Amino acid sequence: MSREQASISELLLSLDSSELQEAERARLPACMFLLSDKGGAVLSSVVEYYLDSSSSQALLLLSSIREPHHKVLLEKLNESVSRSGTRLGALTLLGHLIRKQPPWVHHISRSPLLLSLLRCLKTDSDVVVLITGVLVLVTLLPMIPQAGKQHINDFFDVFGRLASRSCKNPGHEPVAHLVHLHAGTYSLFHRLYGMFPCSFISYLRLHYSMKENLDTFQEVVKPMLEHVRVHPELVTGTQDYELDPSRWRCYEVHDIVIECSRVSLDPLESSCEEDIYSSSCSLITPLPLPHLDLTCSPVTDAVSSSGDCKLLTPRRRFSSSPHSFRCCLRAPS
């Protein structure tokens, strides 16, 4: 470890000190270290420290990163997402960072990090990783809408896999995890339908016309379709137009989020879509559930996501779909 890395490590420990004066004294030098970081060694050390400790102070430092330092940050995140041992922590960190809409976020659309995120969602077997990853993707899509032209089939493949996984549960996952996975899949459904309706409906028609996918359609996808309006673009738009990057030039992130909410028939989904990037500390996501027996006692376990996720399970049986279910996904302050 270089002297510079050793110094930043000491500062980070001081930042997390319970002594407020010590933490305050360390804040400015730590920021200066990052600003003067030329080779990326300091930034990499801060990322590693966060992955080891989930330090809120390290997160604040990383949230202050500006161009051109974002290149090192994206490279380090991509490296961490590509390793199974650090994947969950890296996805959690990415979720925290993009929710702050940093000025460099659009670079992710051309970064290997996006490919690693999609590869993870299409291949990883850890359900908590999948929950975290899909929430990151849902949050990220309105920030990089132009990525649809190159990656639209990847987005659809992710949806198809997660819908099947939440229905069939091949790994016999706990019910709590299934509920969170279904919530993430439901949010991804709304995002894809709101942004790319012509292409998405074409995919659904083709994918769920296959016999082996009919059960997933009946249990998971059909209830979701019953919770959206007919999208105007299905009448006036085309697949080529909705994938044209120039379509998004006049849209801000919040414009896209609101457009997605307008086609939802679910009032809670609509309200949370409109508020997702506000200063509100919580996001309430209702979801039509597959046939799950939730007669067990209320779940209080926290599940890592792009925020701190608390599952509130009422004492009732969900015996048919769709049903509204509240999953409070508390965003980082």
Side-chain angles (χ1 to χ4, degrees):
M1 180 182 293
S2 68
R3 180 180 301 175
E4 195 174 45
Q5 287 173 299
S7 297
I8 191 64
S9 296
E10 292 174 3
L11 283 173
L12 288 170
L13 290 174
S14 297
L15 280 172
D16 283 326
S17 173
S18 57
E19 296 293 333
L20 295 182
Q21 290 185 344
E22 181 181 353
E24 189 63 33
R25 284 195 300 269
R27 187 168 289 110
L28 181 59
C31 290
M32 296 304 296
F33 262 112
L34 277 178
L35 288 173
S36 61
D37 186 21
K38 300 299 183 183
V42 173
L43 197 155
S44 295
S45 295
V46 178
V47 172
E48 291 288 350
Y49 182 75
Y50 175 84
L51 295 178
D52 289 339
S53 65
S54 299
S55 166
S56 60
Q57 296 301 320
L59 176 60
L60 286 174
L61 285 176
L62 293 171
S63 299
S64 69
I65 294 298
R66 295 294 180 265
E67 299 183 53
H69 295 90
H70 74 282
K71 295 179 181 179
V72 175
L73 178 58
L74 292 180
E75 289 172 1
K76 186 64 178 178
L77 284 170
N78 180 54
E79 174 189 322
S80 301
V81 170
S82 300
R83 296 199 308 259
S84 59
T86 54
R87 183 168 299 147
L88 181 58
L91 289 174
T92 303
L93 173 57
L94 177 60
H96 283 298
L97 294 176
I98 62 174
R99 290 194 75 259
K100 297 181 182 297
Q101 296 187 51
W104 47 261
V105 70
H106 62 282
H107 290 292
I108 295 179
S109 65
R110 299 185 298 275
S111 166
L113 177 59
L114 178 58
L115 295 175
S116 296
L117 171 62
L118 294 171
R119 188 182 307 113
C120 158
L121 288 168
K122 290 193 287 186
T123 62
D124 203 291
S125 58
D126 187 326
V127 70
V128 180
V129 169
L130 295 178
I131 293 165
T132 308
V134 72
L135 293 175
V136 169
L137 182 60
V138 169
T139 306
L140 189 59
L141 280 174
M143 302 177 189
I144 56 168
Q146 69 278 7
K149 185 172 182 62
Q150 182 178 357
H151 298 292
I152 192 69
N153 291 326
D154 295 313
F155 300 154
F156 295 163
D157 287 344
V158 167
F159 174 81
R161 184 192 184 221
L162 297 185
S164 176
R165 179 70 182 266
S166 64
C167 175
K168 297 177 181 178
N169 191 19
H172 305 288
E173 302 290 346
V175 171
H177 288 179
L178 278 185
V179 170
H180 283 86
L181 180 61
H182 194 80
T185 307
Y186 184 56
S187 294
L188 181 60
F189 168 86
H190 274 276
R191 189 68 79 232
L192 294 176
Y193 181 73
M195 294 177 65
F196 312 108
C198 297
S199 301
F200 191 43
I201 291 298
S202 177
Y203 161 79
L204 294 178
R205 184 181 297 114
L206 178 64
H207 186 70
Y208 293 105
S209 65
M210 291 183 262
K211 185 177 180 180
E212 61 269 27
N213 298 326
L214 284 178
D215 287 345
T216 301
F217 177 77
Q218 291 294 331
E219 292 289 325
V220 179
V221 181
K222 185 179 178 181
M224 294 179 180
L225 286 167
E226 293 170 352
H227 280 69
V228 291
R229 307 175 192 275
V230 174
H231 200 298
E233 290 293 326
L234 293 174
V235 179
T236 61
T238 65
Q239 293 186 44
D240 289 338
Y241 169 71
E242 69 185 13
L243 295 178
D244 187 343
S246 65
R247 172 194 175 196
W248 306 104
R249 287 176 183 168
C250 297
Y251 283 84
E252 298 291 338
V253 174
H254 65 271
D255 296 323
I256 298 175
V257 173
I258 292 173
E259 286 298 314
C260 291
S261 75
R262 284 177 177 165
V263 295
S264 174
L265 291 173
D266 193 329
L268 287 178
E269 178 69 21
S270 298
S271 65
C272 78
E273 287 279 10
E274 293 175 3
D275 295 340
I276 192 171
Y277 296 108
S278 72
S279 58
S280 173
C281 66
S282 65
L283 166 63
I284 300 178
T285 306
L287 59 156
L289 286 172
H291 298 292
L292 297 179
D293 183 0
L294 299 183
T295 55
C296 54
S297 59
V299 178
T300 57
D301 294 340
V303 177
S304 176
S305 69
S306 56
D308 297 326
C309 186
K310 298 286 187 181
L311 173 62
L312 307 179
T313 307
R315 292 179 182 272
R316 60 176 293 185
R317 178 186 296 271
F318 289 82
S319 57
S320 61
S321 58
H323 282 286
S324 290
F325 186 87
R326 294 187 177 187
C327 176
C328 298
L329 302 180
R330 294 191 175 178
S333 57

